[in-house]
Amino acid sequence: MKNADNHIYVIFGASGDLTKRKLVPALYSLFVQNLLPERFAIMGVSRSQFSDNEFRSSMKSAIEEFKEIDNTIKIEEFVQKIYYTSIKFDDALTYQSLNQRLIKLREKENIGENTIFYLSTPPSLYGIIPEHLADIGLNNQDKGWKRLIIEKPFGYDLESATTLKTLLLKHWSEDQIFRIDHYLGKETVQNLLVTRFSNGIFEPLWNRNYVHHVEITSAESIGVEKRGGYYDTSGALRDMIQNHLLQVAAITAMESPSSLEPMAIRNEILKVFQSLRPIRAEDVKTNTIRGQYLESTIKKEKIIGYREEEGVNPNSISETYAAIKFYIDNWRWGGVPFYIRTGKRLPTRVTEVVIHFKATPHFLFAKGFNNSNNQLVIRIQPDEGILLKFGMKIPGTGFEVQTVNMDFHYSELAHQRIPSAYERLIYDSMKGDSTLFARSEEVIEAWKFLSPVIESWKNDKDIPLYGYPAGTWGPDKADDLIEDKELTWRYPCKNLSDDGIYCEL
Ligand code: BG6
């Protein structure tokens, strides 16, 4: 496959954590695999003052610490492609100096005008930087493409997202804007498409006639770590559900696209967002649960509560756990509940989609076997794979049935390395492939859908914020969300020996 066109990769927010941990190591992985263009350079941009060499040496340490592919010889060669310019983000003059540096760099490295601008800055700058770039013509594509990559969060609510959308579209066209949702870069999320649309056996069952409900979980065992300041203004609903988990739900629920063209796939995803049944303000209390982790002791170690975390308001009402029930009003999914839950300081790290199939119409082997036990578990991470649960006869007399697992682990494809989400997304953005990026309408629809929840959680004092001890599965109340009283969420950790998911805490 042909590599991307020669270009310069400009990273705003270059002294930040994301650049160190994800972006530069991902670019290095692409370099090692010869997936970068022949002529290529990286320009780091941020407020801090560094010389090119100082920045190179800090990126070298970052690669050594966070690299996913080992090739020590190549590190030195790679960092020679890195440059640095300091900027004041709201000062038009410094953008002129950046432009001058880019012109010189293009001449020196013999690279044309193609340029990617990656915004890995605080979200408050997402409107400001593209406007300054446009003011000096750096959005102009006459002599080479210009692309803008924007990290999440895209807006804080419906109003701010709409304002940002309008601001960006004033100077940049939709096909120049790549909104990162790193979940879409995950191999296993893409594999959802392949599992569904390359196998004749699943698709006929993938609808309201056979599916009882769909459950999507993204649990993390870590707390807010050093991001308390950001997280306290966000909370779990905005941080994980508005973007990552609604995207996963959309890929789980979408119709088959007519082709693999970005537009064909994105249109089907958008249709799901447009079919989300609005949650009425009066239903927020019954269809959502929020929680906040409390101090606890895990393996004799004291874990502090959320309100004690650095950067968090001691009276904070931001949720670190969120669960919602919702419906997709279309022919395929009419009446099938979808459940999403996410939280920090839960017992383990796991992201999975579970398709719960309906029970058989007649319970022939009722004894000791729950007939609704057919589940297809798509494990997004860790231990990426697919697990099918079904009933088998226990050998011996009679017809006793037990649930068994048919389990595929990606690790069995030992020769295949799973690239990081950023590696995939950065590569696609270089090639101009927008399939795995969120389109503005999707983002706006997602905010629209969650607006009543955000509003009610903020204003309705009758909606409880439950405390849950760190290391547990969130508020017990969350089980009440599941419509069928016989059923609960899946608790992967309680089934350690059953499906082999490792429980970290
Ligand atoms: C980020 C959130 O977008 O996703 C974090 O801001 C969260 O709070 C992270 O920890 C989870 O990503 P992953 O890839 O580790 O599941």
Side-chain angles (χ1 to χ4, degrees):
M1 212 197 313
K2 192 175 158 291
N3 280 1
D5 305 332
N6 298 332
H7 66 275
I8 299 183
Y9 208 92
V10 182
I11 304 177
F12 286 91
S15 57
D17 229 34
L18 188 74
T19 306
K20 255 188 262 166
R21 286 172 181 269
K22 302 282 183 194
L23 306 185
V24 168
L27 286 161
Y28 168 72
S29 293
L30 292 172
F31 175 69
V32 171
Q33 296 166 87
N34 292 323
L35 292 174
L36 290 184
E38 195 189 334
R39 290 194 295 282
F40 173 77
I42 297 169
M43 175 67 79
V45 181
S46 66
R47 281 195 198 101
S48 323
Q49 299 283 345
F50 294 117
S51 66
D52 285 344
N53 275 337
E54 281 167 340
F55 186 63
R56 272 181 201 137
S57 114
S58 95
M59 290 304 106
K60 190 172 168 194
S61 315
I63 296 169
E64 275 156 0
E65 190 174 349
F66 299 112
K67 67 182 177 311
E68 292 185 3
I69 297 187
D70 214 357
N71 189 334
T72 338
I73 310 162
K74 288 229 161 194
I75 296 184
E76 198 50 52
E77 194 185 330
F78 174 73
V79 295
Q80 290 314 313
K81 296 181 178 294
I82 302 182
Y83 300 81
Y84 184 82
T85 302
S86 152
I87 201 172
K88 289 197 182 107
F89 290 116
D90 51 1
D91 176 0
L93 276 181
T94 58
Y95 286 84
Q96 297 281 9
S97 333
L98 169 65
N99 198 13
Q100 289 310 315
R101 273 224 82 191
L102 291 177
I103 292 170
K104 285 202 184 112
L105 184 56
R106 286 191 198 110
E107 273 167 22
K108 176 173 173 234
E109 302 282 348
N110 188 18
I111 303 177
E113 284 215 5
N114 298 333
T115 317
I116 289 183
F117 299 101
Y118 195 117
L119 307 195
S120 166
T121 61
S124 55
L125 296 171
Y126 291 173
I128 296 171
I129 296 172
E131 183 138 39
H132 278 294
L133 293 174
D135 284 347
I136 52 171
L138 281 173
N139 59 341
N140 185 305
Q141 307 207 83
D142 290 349
K143 293 193 186 142
W145 47 254
K146 307 287 182 312
R147 294 178 192 144
L148 207 53
I149 306 190
I150 302 190
E151 267 294 328
K152 68 160 260 251
F154 193 88
Y156 175 78
D157 52 18
L158 180 58
E159 195 188 336
S160 54
T162 312
T163 309
L164 180 58
K165 174 188 161 192
T166 316
L167 203 65
L168 291 174
L169 290 177
K170 215 162 91 190
H171 301 295
W172 301 77
S173 59
E174 177 69 22
D175 62 4
Q176 285 180 287
I177 306 171
F178 291 69
R179 292 169 201 80
I180 288 254
D181 185 314
H182 80 277
Y183 264 57
L184 294 178
K186 289 183 191 284
E187 194 63 34
T188 35
V189 172
Q190 294 152 36
N191 191 41
L192 250 168
L193 281 177
V194 178
T195 304
R196 290 192 54 199
F197 302 127
S198 76
N199 294 298
I201 55 171
F202 296 125
E203 212 35 36
L205 305 180
W206 211 268
N207 57 51
R208 63 187 306 278
N209 297 324
Y210 298 96
V211 175
H212 185 269
H213 67 280
V214 176
E215 177 184 345
I216 298 175
T217 293
S218 182
E220 291 183 280
S221 51
I222 53 169
V224 289
E225 307 206 290
K226 301 234 171 303
R227 300 164 71 228
Y230 149 76
Y231 196 87
D232 211 31
T233 60
S234 162
L237 191 74
R238 288 185 173 92
D239 188 49
M240 291 294 292
I241 297 184
Q242 189 275 337
N243 35 68
H244 308 322
L245 301 180
L246 281 179
Q247 287 285 349
V248 171
I251 294 180
T252 306
M254 69 192 267
E255 296 301 320
S256 168
S258 56
S259 72
L260 285 181
E261 284 302 307
M263 217 28 155
I265 296 182
R266 291 168 103 196
N267 280 345
E268 293 307 334
I269 292 180
L270 178 61
K271 279 189 213 158
V272 178
F273 279 99
Q274 290 167 335
S275 310
L276 293 171
R277 183 189 301 173
I279 300 179
R280 297 175 309 175
E282 58 265 39
D283 294 333
V284 171
K285 202 167 172 183
T286 44
N287 289 18
T288 68
I289 298 278
R290 59 177 168 165
Q292 197 183 68
Y293 62 81
L294 305 171
E295 176 190 308
S296 78
T297 305
I298 297 169
K299 289 189 184 161
K300 300 202 180 128
E301 191 194 329
K302 184 183 163 228
I303 306 289
I304 58 170
Y306 175 67
R307 291 182 183 176
E308 284 84 61
E309 297 276 11
E310 192 187 320
V312 171
N313 176 347
N315 299 315
S316 170
I317 57 155
S318 296
E319 76 286 354
T320 59
Y321 175 99
I324 63 170
K325 173 172 96 174
F326 62 98
Y327 293 88
I328 297 172
D329 281 339
N330 61 20
W331 276 54
R332 184 188 282 266
W333 295 114
V336 177
F338 278 66
Y339 301 94
I340 291 183
R341 75 179 154 167
T342 184
K344 302 242 181 232
R345 285 276 181 231
L346 301 189
T348 189
R349 173 172 183 252
V350 63
T351 302
E352 62 178 28
V353 177
V354 189
I355 310 294
H356 293 260
F357 291 97
K358 287 185 175 168
T360 52
H362 171 54
F363 292 4
L364 198 53
F365 312 107
K367 234 189 200 169
F369 178 65
N370 178 352
N371 278 259
S372 63
N373 253 356
N374 284 147
Q375 297 172 2
L376 184 71
V377 182
I378 297 162
R379 281 191 308 261
I380 309 281
Q381 65 186 22
D383 186 16
E384 293 83 353
I386 293 187
L387 166 73
L388 179 66
K389 286 173 165 284
F390 59 101
M392 279 276 286
K393 180 179 179 302
I394 299 176
T397 54
F399 282 99
E400 265 199 70
V401 183
Q402 73 172 52
T403 307
V404 294
N405 294 336
M406 208 190 260
D407 207 353
F408 162 73
H409 302 262
Y410 262 82
S411 53
E412 284 159 20
L413 304 176
H415 58 290
Q416 293 287 359
R417 168 182 163 266
I418 300 186
S420 79
Y422 276 96
E423 188 179 322
R424 170 69 198 256
L425 294 175
I426 287 176
Y427 181 74
D428 283 3
S429 66
M430 288 177 174
K431 303 274 283 181
D433 181 346
S434 56
T435 315
L436 301 175
F437 292 84
R439 177 165 144 184
S440 66
E441 294 102 311
E442 288 162 26
V443 178
I444 298 295
E445 288 295 336
W447 280 122
K448 215 183 272 173
F449 172 63
L450 292 177
S451 276
V453 182
I454 293 173
E455 284 303 306
S456 303
W457 281 6
K458 193 167 117 203
N459 301 321
D460 187 344
K461 301 283 172 284
D462 285 345
I463 300 180
L465 170 68
Y466 296 100
Y468 62 95
T472 65
W473 274 105
D476 291 339
K477 263 284 183 201
D479 274 345
D480 295 351
L481 266 192
I482 310 278
E483 265 177 24
D484 192 324
K485 291 287 155 260
E486 307 270 288
L487 302 176
T488 65
W489 295 89
R490 209 176 94 85
Y491 291 104
C493 269
K494 286 190 182 159
N495 304 334
L496 255 193
S497 56
D498 194 21
D499 51 13
I501 289 179
Y502 175 62
C503 196
E504 289 170 40
L505 290 179

